[in-house]
Amino acid sequence: MTFFIALILIIAIVIIFDISEKIEKFVANEAPLKEIIFSYYLNFIPYFINMFSPLFVFITVIFFTSRLAANSEIIAILSGGISYHRMMVPYMVAAGVIALLSLGLNLYVIPTSNKTRVDFEQKYVKNRYVSMRDVHYQIAPGKFVYVENFSSWNQTAYKLTLEDIENGRLKSKLTCESAKWDSLSESWHLRNWFVRDYSDGLSDRIHSGQQLDTCIELSITDFYRNEKTVQTLPQRDLMQLIQTQKMRGDANVMYSQIELHTRFALPFSAFILTIMGVALSSRKKRGGIGWNLGIGIGLAFSYILFLKFSQMFVFTGTMPAWVALWLPNVLYAFIAAYLYKIAPK
């Protein structure tokens, strides 16, 4: 109950601050009140709960256990013949329930709610248009595409080149001045195109034209993949995207890998922070629970910051995503083990 009360209070505070930050953009872009409430903030809550669940867990455990210690109830429990390990069982059961809840949110609820929330942000809060330069993709084995510039304003790729390579030898090369995406047929409309088929002999086949509609294994969504869009993908789609991006040599695969490992690493933190919280607050201290709460909030925030900072190791290529995202759990697990070892003493 303490966990959910803390959750409701902090969510209310965050929503108030978020409204004060975005109210001008809501008004400027004429966002309907119904969409603000149901499309944005209703879907904002699960995302926020999941992101700061370690903080909520730690504060709850610190507050509850400190109250027990202040009333000498932990001394009574231990004096009654119940070991410190046995006292931890209800805590770990509760941590397991919270971890399963967080995992369920990550895998099933949050991707769907994030899709609605991100669509709202793109429409009413952030810049709707993006531009990319020098895009290199391997869209299929032996097929490579290069785009000099892509503009989302008119959904057009400029200076597109498509190369077909077999056994290390260039078989054909297509170039065009521009390629505009047709959302109805899900194909590209090429303008001023030129194709050269390379033969084994000295003569090559060359043909060109003004306009051409063609389907290649590249869609408009491939240009929009970023940290926000991968948060909207269900687990199966996210795994498939990672495989596709690895095959293409897409640098944006790091966003997908970070999202994948965060979905599993974050729920596991409930066990680590629960052990740390109990170990820190199970001893009665002079001055009440204020000191315990201060330490608890500091450690919880340091964990969240470390989790976010560890993503930089992925962006810089220092560590693989699974190592970087699980590193905070491993480090804080050692801290929790040490605190738990000295707590009964």
Side-chain angles (χ1 to χ4, degrees), residues 181-196:
W181 176 252
D182 188 341
S183 58
L184 295 178
S185 61
E186 294 189 346
S187 62
W188 293 94
H189 182 72
L190 308 185
R191 188 169 66 88
N192 295 335
W193 58 274
F194 178 93
V195 176
R196 183 166 189 163

Side-chain angles (χ1 to χ4, degrees), residues 155 179-181 187-190 212-214 216 218-219 223:
Q155 296 187 337
K180 184 175 178 60
W181 176 252
S187 62
W188 293 94
H189 182 72
L190 308 185
L212 176 66
D213 291 333
T214 182
I216 60 178
L218 181 73
S219 68
F223 293 99

Side-chain angles (χ1 to χ4, degrees), residues 194-339:
F194 178 93
V195 176
R196 183 166 189 163
D197 296 323
Y198 296 88
S199 64
D200 294 331
L202 298 177
S203 61
D204 297 334
R205 182 183 176 187
I206 300 175
H207 45 105
S208 61
Q210 295 292 322
Q211 297 181 357
L212 176 66
D213 291 333
T214 182
C215 293
I216 60 178
E217 298 177 27
L218 181 73
S219 68
I220 195 72
T221 57
D222 292 316
F223 293 99
Y224 292 94
R225 300 295 184 191
N226 55 35
E227 183 179 6
K228 292 291 185 180
T229 55
V230 297
Q231 294 175 357
T232 67
L233 297 178
Q235 189 66 16
R236 179 179 297 180
D237 293 345
L238 182 61
M239 297 293 293
Q240 292 176 350
L241 176 62
I242 291 175
Q243 293 178 358
T244 301
Q245 289 179 321
K246 285 183 177 180
M247 182 271 295
R248 291 179 172 179
D250 189 350
N252 288 332
V253 69
M254 59 185 177
Y255 295 116
S256 305
Q257 292 175 329
I258 288 173
E259 176 65 19
L260 173 65
H261 293 289
T262 300
R263 291 182 180 184
F264 291 95
L266 197 61
F268 188 78
S269 66
F271 296 102
I272 299 173
L273 296 178
T274 296
I275 295 174
M276 291 178 61
V278 175
L280 284 171
S281 57
S282 58
R283 182 176 298 177
K284 188 174 182 179
K285 293 183 175 65
R286 184 178 302 173
I289 66 174
W291 182 249
N292 289 336
L293 280 175
I295 296 176
I297 292 174
L299 284 174
F301 268 114
S302 68
Y303 171 82
I304 295 173
L305 289 175
F306 190 14
L307 187 64
K308 293 297 181 181
F309 181 77
S310 64
Q311 296 179 6
M312 296 302 299
F313 296 134
V314 184
F315 296 142
T316 58
T318 307
M319 295 181 182
W322 68 272
V323 174
L325 271 299
W326 282 92
L327 182 62
N329 280 345
V330 173
L331 177 61
Y332 278 76
F334 281 110
I335 298 175
Y338 173 75
L339 293 175

Side-chain angles (χ1 to χ4, degrees), residues 3-4 7 11 42-53 56 97-114 231 233-235 259 262-264 266-267:
F3 173 78
F4 292 105
L7 205 60
I11 286 175
L42 193 62
N43 293 289
F44 174 84
I45 291 174
Y47 171 76
F48 180 82
I49 290 174
N50 175 70
M51 184 170 59
F52 287 98
S53 60
F56 300 144
V97 172
I98 295 174
L100 289 175
L101 176 62
S102 177
L103 184 62
L105 288 173
N106 277 335
L107 298 182
Y108 303 107
V109 178
I110 292 179
T112 303
S113 64
N114 275 346
Q231 294 175 357
L233 297 178
Q235 189 66 16
E259 176 65 19
T262 300
R263 291 182 180 184
F264 291 95
L266 197 61

Side-chain angles (χ1 to χ4, degrees), residues 19-32:
I19 291 175
S20 64
E21 179 184 355
K22 296 184 172 69
I23 187 65
E24 292 183 1
K25 294 182 179 179
F26 291 160
V27 174
N29 294 318
E30 300 180 353

